[in-house]
Amino acid sequence: MSMEQAGSLRGIANMERFDLLPLLRDGVQVHYEGSIDKQGYNADWDWWLYREGEEWVIFDCDGPGCIYNFVQHRYPDSPEPTFRFYFDHEREPRFVIKPSEFGSKAPFLKPLADAYLGPEDGGRGPIRVVRSFVPMPFVGSCRITSDIRLKGAGKGDGGWGHVVYHTYSSAEDIVTFTGKEDYSRLTAMWSAAGTDPKPDAVSESRLHQELVLEPGAAAIVLNETAQGSVASIQAIPEAFTPELLADVWIRATWDGHERPDIDCPIGILFGNELGQNPVGVLSHGITGDGRGYNYFAMPYWESAVIELVNKGQQTVTFKEWEIRVTQERNPLYQRGQTGYFRSSEYYSRKASPGKDSIIGRLKGRGHLVAGHVTGYTRRPGMISCEGDVRVHIDGSSTPQVESDGSESWVCYGWGFPTPPESNPASAYDGLPDNPWSMVRLCSGDWYPFQTELVFGIEAGEFNNQYLEHSGALLYYGVDEPGMVLTDELDIGSKASEGVHEYKSEGSRGYYTLESYYEGDEDDVVIADTGHETEGASEFTVTVHEDNRGVRLRRRSDQMTGRQKADVLVDGVKVEERSWYYPDRNPYKRWLEDEFDIPEKYTAGKRHLRIRLEFVQEGEARVWNEFRYRVYSML
């Protein structure tokens, strides 16, 4: 299968073909829309973008995309909202559902969707949680509305939540969600967590029985010298103790690389750092009978070496350690179009007072498929999971993913005081609130990156708590970047404007803003001068002649939401989508958002004339711009 064919796997097909997860994809970005405290503190309950008639819009995307994760929380005393899903600019909703219907109303059926009663919240009552991993693709647009305003500051308020979704530069091969799709294969796969979710393939066993590792010892458990892929890793120790999960490390080196591609404790490999309970997801975990499993496909083209290292002080014995390898999938994994399976550098247990713990910093090109984070406080009983996960992709100053609390990133309710549990996409283990350990599989909503991905998490409500973290990320990647910065326009600089032949129609003038970006550095003041127009702006940029498309990144002022513009390239309108950002933040006003221009508008060109025509939408009255960065996709 070519990279172009893999790129067309969206929605259900993207999630069904777990064996194609290693393939690198073009023209895809991940985004998060949810109830983030706009001031950077912990009031993460106001979830709405704008009001339209009698409905509150909580999600609004223009252009082709796919929703992969929908979560909503509320108190029992809160009125039950009705959610309406509008697709492709339709005036009537295609799908209407109440929270209590998740798990029982097709296609939002278990195990892809459910509604359950979560933990008590400090005397305010238990939390009602709705979550869905049902993929909902759309060709032209999607809006989700609620008939009541969703907020959650106290009992009787409407709740909070999020949407995680992909956007695509092209609508090719996308069929908009109807609610009548055949989810049977995907449902069957999700109903069998703990077994291999990939299609069957002939494989060979590399089995080690009664494998003994003395303190400081290492053992090679796989040594292959031909093209193939690891199909599964399974282990049965005498017991999965916390010490074994932390002290025994796995190192995997593909194709003779200088540094190991995987280098982490087996607690990361098997989705459980604490060893308190047998929790697992579709891809990796520990079963109730004490079997560790990992089903991520791990392709290689020349060689594969995997070794176990005992860094602890006790002798460790595995009753069985089995790796299965296959060559049957070799035609699927074309070199240069497929990522190596890798772990980020292990983030050993430590605190980073006053700033985010950076669990992983990935370089090159690829996509994150799973994350594992464990948290510890100084003493038991402390609420320690309020910290937001914040993910910056490709150097963007604005987080593309930002959860409203640690537990929300793994799609649970309020805190971790409920019994440890798991679903096929997320799990947590530990004692009530301290320590806790969470794992999230991104089987559909994987996080693509072209140059880097930085995954951080707060300690406490706004990095105001002493909290130690450990963990790592699992991803597919290659060292070479997928895009390169080829031009930059600084609005307000006469020299830069002159070089880029910048001009504007309907100008409202220039102004200087001093404000902050959202995220970890939301206390760093940045001053810049920009421009706003109620008409259009134009400029010429330089790109690579052999580009696979072009990405525009804009620094803007998000004081006002629903900024929208049509994009024209050399006089031709980009038909796939408008440049639209529906959210706003009057406190942390700086925003970096992006627009991907498909290759068909840019192929073979060294210079592009960009024209942005303002479209009035809701409260927005102008299009503002402070800086543009231009990236050529490679």
Side-chain angles (χ1 to χ4, degrees):
M1 175 173 288
S2 69
M3 187 163 53
E4 287 75 14
Q5 291 172 314
S8 67
L9 294 178
R10 295 161 180 170
I12 297 175
N14 176 38
M15 295 179 67
E16 284 181 343
R17 291 301 301 272
F18 202 81
D19 57 324
L20 299 183
L21 201 53
L23 301 190
L24 302 173
R25 322 292 173 93
D26 285 332
V28 186
Q29 289 187 279
V30 68
H31 305 274
Y32 178 101
E33 182 62 68
S35 47
I36 302 298
D37 186 343
K38 300 299 186 182
Q39 298 189 62
Y41 295 108
N42 197 45
D44 295 327
W45 45 72
D46 231 2
W47 188 20
W48 59 281
L49 297 170
Y50 57 91
R51 190 172 186 178
E52 192 166 86
E54 298 301 314
E55 299 179 50
W56 296 87
V57 178
I58 61 175
F59 174 76
D60 190 5
C61 178
D62 187 55
C66 183
I67 293 172
Y68 283 105
N69 181 219
F70 176 86
V71 173
Q72 193 251 349
H73 317 98
R74 64 187 177 92
Y75 295 107
D77 293 342
S78 302
E80 184 176 34
T82 297
F83 297 119
R84 293 179 171 87
F85 292 77
Y86 297 82
F87 293 95
D88 298 347
H89 307 289
E90 294 171 339
R91 299 180 64 86
E92 296 298 323
R94 284 202 188 187
F95 205 87
V96 180
I97 188 170
K98 292 180 177 293
S100 58
E101 295 175 316
F102 280 85
S104 60
K105 183 176 182 179
F108 297 91
L109 302 174
K110 294 179 179 179
L112 290 171
D114 61 4
Y116 75 101
L117 199 61
E120 288 276 343
D121 178 8
R124 288 185 285 188
I127 304 296
R128 293 194 181 277
V129 182
V130 163
R131 61 184 168 211
S132 168
F133 298 94
V134 173
M136 292 179 275
F138 46 92
V139 171
S141 69
C142 180
R143 282 189 305 129
I144 306 174
T145 69
S146 167
D147 62 339
I148 61 175
R149 177 178 169 182
L150 300 183
K151 53 192 182 75
K155 295 177 69 173
D157 287 331
W160 61 102
H162 70 248
V163 175
V164 182
Y165 63 106
H166 280 173
T167 57
Y168 307 112
S169 60
S170 169
E172 187 177 357
D173 297 318
I174 298 178
V175 177
T176 298
F177 173 83
T178 65
K180 300 178 181 179
E181 290 79 4
D182 182 3
Y183 288 86
S184 58
R185 287 178 57 194
L186 185 58
T187 299
M189 190 172 87
W190 274 52
S191 299
T195 63
D196 195 340
K198 301 187 294 297
D200 291 338
V202 176
S203 61
E204 298 178 356
S205 173
R206 304 293 185 259
L207 178 62
H208 299 264
Q209 294 181 312
E210 299 302 323
L211 176 62
V212 179
L213 289 174
E214 302 289 344
I220 294 178
V221 290
L222 182 70
N223 191 353
E224 302 290 309
T225 56
Q227 182 183 355
S229 61
V230 171
S232 65
I233 301 176
Q234 300 190 66
I236 302 176
E238 292 179 335
F240 271 119
T241 64
E243 292 76 19
L244 180 143
L245 291 165
D247 294 341
V248 178
W249 282 48
I250 180 169
R251 289 177 181 165
T253 304
W254 317 123
D255 295 343
H257 294 158
E258 292 184 5
R259 299 180 59 184
D261 293 271
I262 303 172
D263 192 7
C264 63
I266 64 170
I268 300 296
L269 185 78
F270 297 133
N272 196 321
E273 278 204 275
L274 295 178
Q276 302 274 353
N277 293 276
V279 297
V281 295
L282 198 67
S283 51
H284 59 305
I286 297 175
T287 63
D289 59 1
R291 175 178 58 89
Y293 64 92
N294 188 297
Y295 294 122
F296 283 113
M298 305 178 191
Y300 50 87
W301 288 267
E302 298 171 9
S303 63
V305 177
I306 299 180
E307 63 177 342
L308 300 177
V309 181
N310 184 358
K311 295 188 176 184
Q313 303 300 314
Q314 304 294 324
T315 299
V316 172
T317 301
F318 289 94
K319 298 177 183 178
E320 288 187 5
W321 183 282
E322 183 187 38
I323 300 176
R324 299 196 71 88
V325 297
T326 181
Q327 295 182 334
E328 191 169 304
R329 296 193 178 103
N330 287 1
L332 294 178
Y333 304 140
Q334 299 296 311
R335 197 167 193 173
Q337 299 181 0
T338 306
Y340 291 104
F341 184 74
R342 291 172 166 173
S343 68
S344 63
E345 180 180 354
Y346 180 65
Y347 189 84
S348 59
R349 179 177 171 177
K350 56 181 171 290
S352 56
K355 59 182 180 180
D356 288 5
S357 297
I358 305 302
I359 302 300
R361 189 183 300 270
L362 312 181
K363 294 291 186 180
R365 176 189 179 209
H367 46 278
L368 180 148
V369 292
H372 195 118
V373 183
T374 301
Y376 311 82
T377 63
R378 284 183 171 136
R379 59 185 181 274
M382 295 180 63
I383 298 172
S384 57
C385 59
E386 290 291 341
D388 296 352
V389 166
R390 300 194 277 216
V391 182
H392 295 262
I393 298 176
D394 296 335
S396 175
S397 297
T398 298
Q400 277 86 341
V401 176
E402 183 178 8
S403 73
D404 60 348
S406 307
E407 81 289 350
S408 292
W409 184 68
V410 288
C411 306
Y412 283 91
W414 182 91
F416 290 135
T418 56
E421 55 182 289
S422 61
N423 66 70
S426 58
Y428 73 88
D429 179 28
L431 303 173
D433 278 314
N434 176 40
W436 51 261
S437 188
M438 62 180 185
V439 60
R440 171 76 151 86
L441 165 65
C442 304
S443 65
D445 55 341
W446 32 266
Y447 300 180
F449 59 94
Q450 301 295 331
T451 60
E452 70 169 7
L453 181 148
V454 180
F455 184 108
I457 183 170
E458 289 180 302
E461 295 94 333
F462 46 94
N463 278 326
N464 61 332
Q465 185 178 9
Y466 181 88
L467 183 62
E468 297 171 353
H469 290 117
S470 63
L473 310 177
L474 301 176
Y475 70 105
Y476 289 100
V478 293
D479 296 335
E480 298 77 16
M483 71 180 191
V484 62
L485 178 68
T486 51
D487 209 343
E488 188 169 358
L489 167 60
D490 182 4
I491 305 295
S493 165
K494 296 304 179 184
S496 184
E497 290 184 7
V499 168
H500 295 87
E501 302 173 329
Y502 174 82
K503 68 176 185 179
S504 175
E505 302 168 10
S507 171
R508 292 285 299 271
Y510 290 81
Y511 70 104
T512 298
L513 172 64
E514 294 186 2
S515 192
Y516 318 84
Y517 282 105
E518 300 169 4
D520 190 16
E521 298 185 351
D522 64 353
D523 57 349
V524 178
V525 178
I526 295 175
D528 198 4
T529 298
H531 177 260
E532 56 185 11
T533 176
E534 58 185 5
S537 60
E538 287 189 41
F539 47 92
T540 300
V541 298
T542 302
V543 297
H544 272 315
E545 192 171 9
D546 58 351
N547 71 79
R548 298 288 301 274
V550 170
R551 176 171 297 173
L552 303 177
R553 179 180 295 165
R554 174 184 62 141
R555 174 186 285 177
S556 67
D557 176 4
Q558 59 173 329
M559 176 68 182
T560 303
R562 306 190 73 185
Q563 290 191 56
K564 187 174 185 179
D566 289 332
V567 180
L568 290 82
V569 181
D570 295 330
V572 178
K573 181 181 177 181
V574 177
E575 297 292 343
E576 284 76 6
R577 64 165 19 95
S578 61
W579 194 334
Y580 179 51
Y581 191 80
D583 210 347
R584 64 190 293 267
N585 189 335
Y587 309 104
K588 314 293 182 180
R589 288 170 59 176
W590 285 127
L591 168 73
E592 285 193 339
D593 64 330
E594 297 175 332
F595 185 90
D596 276 1
I597 303 174
E599 181 182 2
K600 67 181 181 181
Y601 300 95
T602 64
K605 298 180 180 180
R606 295 189 65 247
H607 304 285
L608 306 175
R609 185 65 177 172
I610 305 297
R611 179 177 173 87
L612 304 172
E613 297 181 346
F614 169 67
V615 177
Q616 196 276 319
E617 191 77 35
E619 62 180 313
R621 295 292 180 268
V622 295
W623 175 265
N624 73 73
E625 51 198 6
F626 287 75
R627 185 180 299 269
Y628 290 99
R629 289 185 171 90
V630 183
Y631 298 89
S632 295
M633 314 307 291
L634 305 178

